[in-house]
Every structure is written in structure tokens, then in C-alpha cells.
Amino acid sequence: MTNPTIEHLLTRRSVSANSLGEPGPSQDEIEQILTAATRVPDHKKLVPWRFLLFQGEARTEFGEVLAEICKREEKDPSQFRLETEANRFMRAPLVIAVISRVVNNPAAPEWEQVLSAGAACQNLLIAATALGYGARWITEWYGYSHGVRAALKLADNERVAGFVYIGTAKEKPEERERPSLADIARAWRR
Ligand SMILES: Cc1cc2nc3c(=O)[nH]c(=O)nc-3n(C[C@H](O)[C@H](O)[C@H](O)COP(=O)(O)O)c2cc1C
């Protein structure tokens, strides 16, 4: 029998945000998911990430913020677009923004700290799906918007690594093609 962790890693798939619904994880499960995200490699123990949680009404409030910023940053967005923005975070019961925060440390350059934030995103996905939820790591436009940066009150050394949407999968995602190991992995030879 395959080891359950390997089985999980070999079968995990992201779920489309539109296919995520209620229920979301309980408070206890959220704590487990976040704790799993803190157990990532972190050179020099700099904790180069933090998490912002959006649940319940905070999702509609943030939707209002997104629609306002969209109006400011885009030329003539349609009513449909503004409604889409207003409902963005309603697609899942829980959205976790992973904020990468880089500090100056010559022993652990920026690249390593950013990689650690990516690992935190991946651990969120793995933990959420291990608990039976569907999840997806998304950046879309608001992961890169100056207005959203300001609304999230990010410091100059901070950046959005991703928004991890978590909920119950309404449908099972189909398998997608993966790269062949023969193309991407080989023994080093001089
Ligand atoms: C940094 C990052 C940003 C991403 N942003 C988006 C996004 O904005 N929208 C989206 O549909 N998928 C996005 N993806 C891809 C999905 O998270 C997912 O990896 C992809 O759909 C493949 O599914 P899989 O995880 O089952 O392989 C992003 C992935 C990464 C690593």
C-alpha cells in the first residue's frame, strides 16, 4: 500500500475558485492549516511571511474595496466586472492572503525568503486538501495592484505571494497533464 502522504501528494489537484462552496474549515482546522504553513523551511528563521484571513462579512467588505480599486485602476470597467469584483471573495468560505515579507539578512537573501513564502502557500494547499477541502492558490489582478497593496496595508518590504481559497469542492477536478520526468529530471554528469 502506498504511504498516505505520498498518495496525497501524487493525487492533489487544485479546485477552481468557482467550484468551492460551504462548508469551510472549522476554527480548529484553520489553526491546523495555518500551523502547517508555518512548518516550511525558513533559512535563518526569519519568518518571512504572514497571513491575512478573510471569512464571513470581511469577504463582502473586501469585495467593495476591490470594486472601488478596480474603478480607479481600470479604464471604464463594466457593471458586470464591478459585480464580479464585489463577489470575488464570496467564491469560497475562507481566503487566506499569504504576505511575503523580506528582511535584510545577507545569510538568507531575498530569493530564499520569497521561496519560503511560496512553500507556505503550498503547505496551506496540502494541509487544506488533506483535511478534505478543495483549495486554489490565486493571484489574479489584485495580487499585483498598487491599490490593493495599500488597502491591505502592506509595508514596503511586503508583497502578496498569493490568495489561497479554501472550501468544499462542488466537483472533483479532472486530472491534468504533468510534465514527464524524462524531460525535467536527469542525473548530473560532468
Ligand atoms: C504564484 C501562483 C499564482 C497563480 N495564480 C493563479 C490565478 O490567478 N488564477 C488561476 O486560475 N490559477 C492560478 N495559479 C495556478 C493554480 O494555483 C494551480 O496551480 C493550477 O490551476 C494547476 O492546478 P494543480 O495545482 O492541480 O496542478 C497560480 C499558481 C501559482 C503558483
Side-chain angles (χ1 to χ4, degrees), residues 1-150:
M1 206 179 106
T2 322
N3 169 292
T5 306
I6 294 292
E7 176 70 19
H8 180 53
L9 291 172
L10 294 181
T11 54
R12 184 207 61 81
R13 269 244 55 201
S14 296
V15 174
S16 149
N18 286 325
S19 301
L20 292 171
E22 299 284 349
S26 66
Q27 206 42 49
D28 183 50
E29 288 172 323
I30 292 172
E31 221 167 290
Q32 288 180 48
I33 292 168
L34 289 171
T35 306
T38 67
R39 289 194 70 104
V40 289
D42 170 9
H43 196 182
K44 292 291 164 194
K45 296 188 274 220
L46 299 173
V47 194
W49 19 258
R50 64 184 177 94
F51 309 104
L52 282 172
L53 277 67
F54 298 83
Q55 289 176 277
E57 281 181 17
R59 295 170 305 153
T60 14
E61 281 175 35
F62 194 66
E64 287 165 20
V65 171
L66 282 182
E68 277 164 28
I69 295 168
C70 176
K71 246 196 252 178
R72 275 207 311 268
E73 293 187 355
E74 308 246 336
K75 210 174 146 231
D76 261 342
S78 66
Q79 195 52 37
F80 175 77
R81 172 70 194 278
L82 294 175
E83 276 165 27
T84 303
E85 299 312 337
N87 290 310
R88 276 270 177 220
F89 276 29
M90 297 308 288
R91 291 180 292 177
L94 170 65
V95 182
I96 302 177
V98 178
I99 311 298
S100 146
R101 53 169 187 193
V102 173
V103 295
N104 197 5
N105 188 311
E110 174 170 351
W111 169 238
E112 297 187 3
Q113 297 181 44
V114 174
L115 288 172
S116 181
C121 293
Q122 181 65 10
N123 264 19
L124 286 180
L125 288 182
I126 293 171
T129 44
L131 288 172
Y133 296 97
R136 190 179 193 86
W137 176 355
I138 282 172
T139 43
E140 292 180 323
W141 68 273
Y142 46 93
Y144 299 98
S145 146
H146 289 291
V148 172
R149 272 193 68 86

